[in-house]
Amino acid sequence: MTDSVTAATAATNASSSSSSGNSKTLISNDFETFLRMLTTQLENQDPLNPMESSEYALQIATFSGVEQQVLTNDLLTNLTENLGGGGLSQYGSWVGMEAAAPVAVKYDGSTQLTILPEIEADASFAKLVVRNSEGSIVESREIDLPAETVTWPGESEAKADTYSFIVESYAADGSQMSETLGKVYAPIAEVRTEAGKVSVVFESGSIVNSNDVSALRDPV
């Protein structure tokens, strides 16, 4: 009899672990079934070899734990959905603004671009390397330190294209310390949410996580 109750309890657990809109109803029905089986077990146990009270307590505790887990899963699911929707609504106002992020950016051949270089604190000097959409280097020049922002293009003539900006930090002996993709102010075309994460899509087609955006400004 104990084996049959254990099997029934396992089946109940499996049924209870399925989260849905009617989870509470399923839990209630399963609990009634559990109580009926427990009562049947009590009525048919061997009077000369009765089950220990601790075994009943364990079965009830097991069912109670499953019940709480199902309700918790439902709560977390609803919370995730609400946060995802709220996040998308919050970030939706970003569309049309310019954000600073490590992305390639479209350049129309007339306006200047603002780059936020991340340079090693103990670097002796740094370089800005500019690559076009084909990956070719169109300019490489030293950055005056300290530098919070760098504008481009400088003295060179640049045609309309999509450019990426690599910032290289160097030690006093000339060895390269690091190489990072410079953050550029670029127009935001779209904000989307996938699997609870908010992504920002730029006009250049580059996509980054919203956490990678370090600054926002109105279009200049």
Side-chain angles (χ1 to χ4, degrees), residues 86-133:
L88 187 60
S89 175
Q90 172 188 352
Y91 291 108
S93 61
W94 288 15
V95 176
M97 299 186 70
E98 290 185 342
V103 296
V105 61
K106 287 184 177 180
Y107 172 69
D108 62 10
S110 60
T111 59
Q112 284 191 327
L113 300 177
T114 302
I115 302 110
L116 283 68
E118 293 186 354
I119 303 170
E120 297 287 345
D122 54 348
S124 291
F125 65 99
K127 289 183 179 180
L128 176 67
V129 179
V130 184
R131 294 182 179 273
N132 60 19
S133 57

Coordinates of all heavy atoms in Angstrom, one line a residue, residues 86-133:
G86 N 7.4 46.3 -18.5 CA 7.7 47.6 -18.0 C 9.0 48.2 -18.5 O 9.2 49.4 -18.8
G87 N 10.0 47.3 -18.7 CA 11.3 47.7 -19.2 C 11.2 48.2 -20.6 O 11.8 49.2 -20.9
L88 N 10.4 47.5 -21.4 CA 10.3 47.9 -22.8 C 9.6 49.3 -22.9 O 10.0 50.2 -23.7 CB 9.4 46.9 -23.6 CG 9.3 47.1 -25.1 CD1 10.7 47.1 -25.7 CD2 8.5 46.1 -25.7
S89 N 8.6 49.5 -22.0 CA 7.9 50.8 -22.0 C 8.9 51.9 -21.5 O 8.9 53.0 -22.1 CB 6.7 50.7 -21.0 OG 6.1 52.0 -20.9
Q90 N 9.7 51.6 -20.6 CA 10.7 52.6 -20.1 C 11.7 53.0 -21.1 O 12.0 54.1 -21.3 CB 11.4 52.0 -18.8 CG 12.6 52.9 -18.3 CD 13.4 52.2 -17.3 OE1 13.0 51.1 -16.8 NE2 14.5 52.8 -16.9
Y91 N 12.3 52.0 -21.8 CA 13.3 52.2 -22.8 C 12.7 52.7 -24.1 O 13.5 53.2 -25.0 CB 14.1 51.0 -23.0 CG 15.0 50.5 -21.8 CD1 14.6 49.4 -21.1 CD2 16.1 51.3 -21.5 CE1 15.4 49.1 -20.0 CE2 16.9 50.9 -20.4 CZ 16.5 49.8 -19.6 OH 17.3 49.4 -18.6
G92 N 11.4 52.6 -24.3 CA 10.8 53.0 -25.6 C 11.1 54.5 -25.9 O 11.2 54.9 -27.0
S93 N 11.2 55.3 -24.8 CA 11.5 56.7 -25.0 C 12.9 57.0 -25.6 O 13.2 58.1 -26.0 CB 11.3 57.5 -23.7 OG 12.2 57.0 -22.7
W94 N 13.7 56.0 -25.6 CA 15.1 56.2 -26.1 C 15.1 56.3 -27.7 O 16.0 56.8 -28.2 CB 15.9 55.0 -25.7 CG 16.3 55.0 -24.3 CD1 15.8 55.7 -23.3 CD2 17.4 54.2 -23.7 NE1 16.4 55.4 -22.1 CE2 17.4 54.4 -22.3 CE3 18.3 53.3 -24.2 CZ2 18.3 53.8 -21.4 CZ3 19.2 52.7 -23.3 CH2 19.2 53.0 -22.0
V95 N 14.1 55.7 -28.3 CA 14.0 55.7 -29.8 C 14.1 57.2 -30.3 O 13.3 58.0 -29.9 CB 12.8 55.0 -30.3 CG1 12.7 55.1 -31.9 CG2 12.8 53.6 -29.9
G96 N 15.0 57.4 -31.2 CA 15.2 58.8 -31.8 C 16.3 59.6 -31.1 O 16.7 60.6 -31.6
M97 N 16.7 59.1 -29.9 CA 17.8 59.8 -29.2 C 19.1 59.2 -29.6 O 19.2 58.2 -30.3 CB 17.6 59.6 -27.7 CG 16.3 60.2 -27.1 SD 16.3 60.2 -25.3 CE 17.5 61.4 -24.9
E98 N 20.2 59.9 -29.2 CA 21.6 59.4 -29.5 C 22.1 58.8 -28.2 O 22.0 59.4 -27.1 CB 22.5 60.5 -30.0 CG 22.1 61.0 -31.4 CD 23.1 62.0 -31.9 OE1 23.9 62.6 -31.1 OE2 23.2 62.2 -33.1
A99 N 22.7 57.6 -28.3 CA 23.2 56.9 -27.1 C 24.7 56.6 -27.3 O 25.1 56.3 -28.5 CB 22.5 55.6 -26.9
A100 N 25.4 56.6 -26.3 CA 26.9 56.3 -26.3 C 27.0 54.8 -26.0 O 26.6 54.4 -24.9 CB 27.6 57.1 -25.3
A101 N 27.5 54.1 -27.0 CA 27.7 52.6 -26.8 C 28.8 52.2 -27.7 O 29.2 52.8 -28.7 CB 26.4 51.9 -27.2
P102 N 29.4 51.0 -27.4 CA 30.5 50.5 -28.2 C 30.0 49.8 -29.5 O 29.8 48.6 -29.6 CB 31.1 49.4 -27.3 CG 30.0 48.9 -26.4 CD 29.1 50.2 -26.2
V103 N 29.6 50.7 -30.5 CA 29.0 50.2 -31.8 C 29.7 50.9 -32.9 O 30.3 51.9 -32.8 CB 27.5 50.5 -31.8 CG1 26.8 49.7 -30.7 CG2 27.2 51.9 -31.6
A104 N 29.5 50.2 -34.1 CA 29.8 50.9 -35.4 C 28.7 51.9 -35.6 O 27.6 51.7 -35.2 CB 29.9 49.9 -36.5
V105 N 29.1 53.0 -36.3 CA 28.1 54.1 -36.5 C 28.2 54.6 -37.9 O 29.2 54.7 -38.5 CB 28.3 55.2 -35.5 CG1 29.7 55.8 -35.7 CG2 27.2 56.3 -35.6
K106 N 27.0 55.0 -38.4 CA 26.9 55.6 -39.8 C 27.4 57.0 -39.7 O 27.1 57.8 -38.8 CB 25.5 55.6 -40.3 CG 25.0 54.2 -40.7 CD 23.6 54.3 -41.4 CE 23.2 52.9 -41.8 NZ 21.8 53.0 -42.5
Y107 N 28.2 57.4 -40.7 CA 28.7 58.7 -40.9 C 28.3 59.3 -42.2 O 28.5 58.6 -43.2 CB 30.3 58.7 -40.7 CG 30.9 60.1 -41.0 CD1 30.7 61.2 -40.2 CD2 31.7 60.3 -42.2 CE1 31.3 62.4 -40.4 CE2 32.3 61.5 -42.4 CZ 32.1 62.5 -41.6 OH 32.7 63.7 -41.8
D108 N 27.7 60.5 -42.2 CA 27.1 61.0 -43.5 C 28.1 61.9 -44.3 O 27.7 62.4 -45.3 CB 25.8 61.8 -43.2 CG 26.0 63.0 -42.3 OD1 27.2 63.3 -42.0 OD2 25.0 63.6 -41.8
G109 N 29.3 62.0 -43.7 CA 30.3 62.8 -44.5 C 30.3 64.3 -44.2 O 31.1 65.0 -44.7
S110 N 29.4 64.7 -43.2 CA 29.4 66.2 -42.9 C 29.6 66.4 -41.4 O 30.4 67.3 -41.0 CB 28.1 66.8 -43.4 OG 27.0 66.1 -42.8
T111 N 28.8 65.8 -40.6 CA 28.8 66.1 -39.2 C 30.0 65.4 -38.5 O 30.5 64.4 -39.0 CB 27.5 65.7 -38.5 OG1 27.3 64.3 -38.7 CG2 26.4 66.4 -39.0
Q112 N 30.4 65.9 -37.3 CA 31.4 65.2 -36.6 C 30.8 64.2 -35.6 O 29.7 64.4 -35.1 CB 32.2 66.3 -35.8 CG 33.2 67.1 -36.6 CD 34.2 67.9 -35.7 OE1 33.8 68.3 -34.6 NE2 35.4 68.0 -36.2
L113 N 31.6 63.2 -35.3 CA 31.2 62.1 -34.4 C 31.9 62.3 -33.1 O 33.1 62.7 -33.1 CB 31.4 60.7 -35.0 CG 30.8 60.4 -36.3 CD1 31.2 59.0 -36.7 CD2 29.2 60.4 -36.1
T114 N 31.2 62.0 -32.0 CA 31.8 62.1 -30.6 C 32.1 60.7 -30.1 O 31.2 59.9 -30.0 CB 30.9 62.9 -29.7 OG1 30.6 64.2 -30.2 CG2 31.6 63.0 -28.3
I115 N 33.4 60.5 -29.8 CA 33.8 59.1 -29.3 C 34.2 59.3 -27.8 O 34.8 60.3 -27.4 CB 35.0 58.6 -30.1 CG1 34.6 58.4 -31.5 CG2 35.4 57.2 -29.5 CD1 35.3 59.4 -32.4
L116 N 33.7 58.3 -27.0 CA 34.1 58.3 -25.6 C 35.1 57.2 -25.4 O 34.8 56.0 -25.3 CB 32.9 58.0 -24.7 CG 32.0 59.2 -24.4 CD1 31.2 59.6 -25.7 CD2 30.9 58.9 -23.3
P117 N 36.4 57.5 -25.4 CA 37.4 56.5 -25.3 C 37.6 55.9 -23.9 O 37.6 56.7 -23.0 CB 38.7 57.2 -25.8 CG 38.5 58.6 -25.4 CD 37.0 58.8 -25.5
E118 N 37.8 54.6 -23.8 CA 38.1 54.0 -22.5 C 39.6 53.7 -22.5 O 40.0 52.7 -23.1 CB 37.2 52.8 -22.3 CG 35.7 53.1 -22.1 CD 34.9 51.9 -21.8 OE1 35.5 50.8 -21.7 OE2 33.7 52.0 -21.5
I119 N 40.4 54.5 -21.8 CA 41.8 54.4 -21.8 C 42.3 53.9 -20.5 O 41.8 54.3 -19.4 CB 42.4 55.8 -22.2 CG1 41.9 56.3 -23.5 CG2 44.0 55.7 -22.2 CD1 42.3 57.7 -23.9
E120 N 43.3 53.0 -20.5 CA 43.8 52.5 -19.2 C 44.3 53.7 -18.4 O 45.0 54.6 -18.9 CB 45.0 51.6 -19.5 CG 44.6 50.3 -20.3 CD 43.8 49.3 -19.4 OE1 43.8 49.5 -18.2 OE2 43.2 48.4 -20.0
A121 N 44.0 53.6 -17.1 CA 44.4 54.8 -16.2 C 45.9 55.0 -16.1 O 46.3 56.2 -16.0 CB 43.9 54.5 -14.8
D122 N 46.7 54.0 -16.2 CA 48.1 54.2 -16.2 C 48.8 54.1 -17.5 O 50.0 53.9 -17.6 CB 48.8 53.1 -15.3 CG 48.4 51.7 -15.7 OD1 47.5 51.6 -16.5 OD2 49.0 50.7 -15.2
A123 N 48.0 54.4 -18.6 CA 48.6 54.4 -20.0 C 49.4 55.6 -20.2 O 49.1 56.7 -19.7 CB 47.5 54.3 -21.0
S124 N 50.6 55.5 -20.9 CA 51.4 56.6 -21.2 C 50.9 57.4 -22.4 O 51.0 58.6 -22.5 CB 52.9 56.2 -21.5 OG 53.5 55.7 -20.3
F125 N 50.3 56.6 -23.4 CA 49.7 57.2 -24.5 C 48.6 56.3 -25.1 O 48.6 55.1 -24.7 CB 50.7 57.6 -25.6 CG 51.4 56.5 -26.2 CD1 51.0 56.0 -27.5 CD2 52.5 55.9 -25.6 CE1 51.7 55.0 -28.1 CE2 53.2 54.9 -26.2 CZ 52.8 54.4 -27.4
A126 N 47.8 56.8 -26.0 CA 46.7 56.0 -26.6 C 46.5 56.4 -28.0 O 46.9 57.5 -28.4 CB 45.4 56.2 -25.8
K127 N 46.0 55.5 -28.8 CA 45.7 55.8 -30.2 C 44.2 55.5 -30.5 O 43.6 54.6 -29.9 CB 46.6 54.9 -31.1 CG 48.1 55.2 -31.1 CD 48.8 54.3 -32.1 CE 50.3 54.7 -32.1 NZ 51.0 53.8 -33.1
L128 N 43.8 56.2 -31.5 CA 42.4 56.0 -32.1 C 42.6 55.4 -33.5 O 43.2 56.0 -34.3 CB 41.6 57.3 -32.1 CG 40.2 57.2 -32.8 CD1 39.3 56.3 -31.9 CD2 39.6 58.6 -33.0
V129 N 42.1 54.2 -33.7 CA 42.2 53.5 -35.0 C 40.7 53.5 -35.6 O 39.8 52.9 -34.9 CB 42.8 52.1 -34.9 CG1 42.8 51.5 -36.2 CG2 44.1 52.2 -34.2
V130 N 40.6 54.0 -36.7 CA 39.3 54.1 -37.4 C 39.2 53.1 -38.5 O 40.1 53.1 -39.4 CB 39.0 55.5 -37.9 CG1 37.5 55.6 -38.5 CG2 39.2 56.5 -36.8
R131 N 38.2 52.2 -38.5 CA 38.0 51.3 -39.6 C 36.7 51.5 -40.3 O 35.7 51.9 -39.7 CB 38.0 49.8 -39.1 CG 39.4 49.4 -38.5 CD 39.4 48.0 -38.0 NE 40.7 47.6 -37.5 CZ 41.7 47.1 -38.2 NH1 41.5 46.9 -39.5 NH2 42.8 46.7 -37.7
N132 N 36.7 51.3 -41.6 CA 35.4 51.5 -42.4 C 34.6 50.2 -42.4 O 35.0 49.2 -41.7 CB 35.7 52.0 -43.8 CG 36.6 51.0 -44.6 OD1 36.7 49.8 -44.2 ND2 37.2 51.5 -45.7
S133 N 33.5 50.2 -43.2 CA 32.6 49.0 -43.2 C 33.3 47.8 -43.7 O 32.8 46.7 -43.5 CB 31.4 49.3 -44.0 OG 31.7 49.7 -45.3

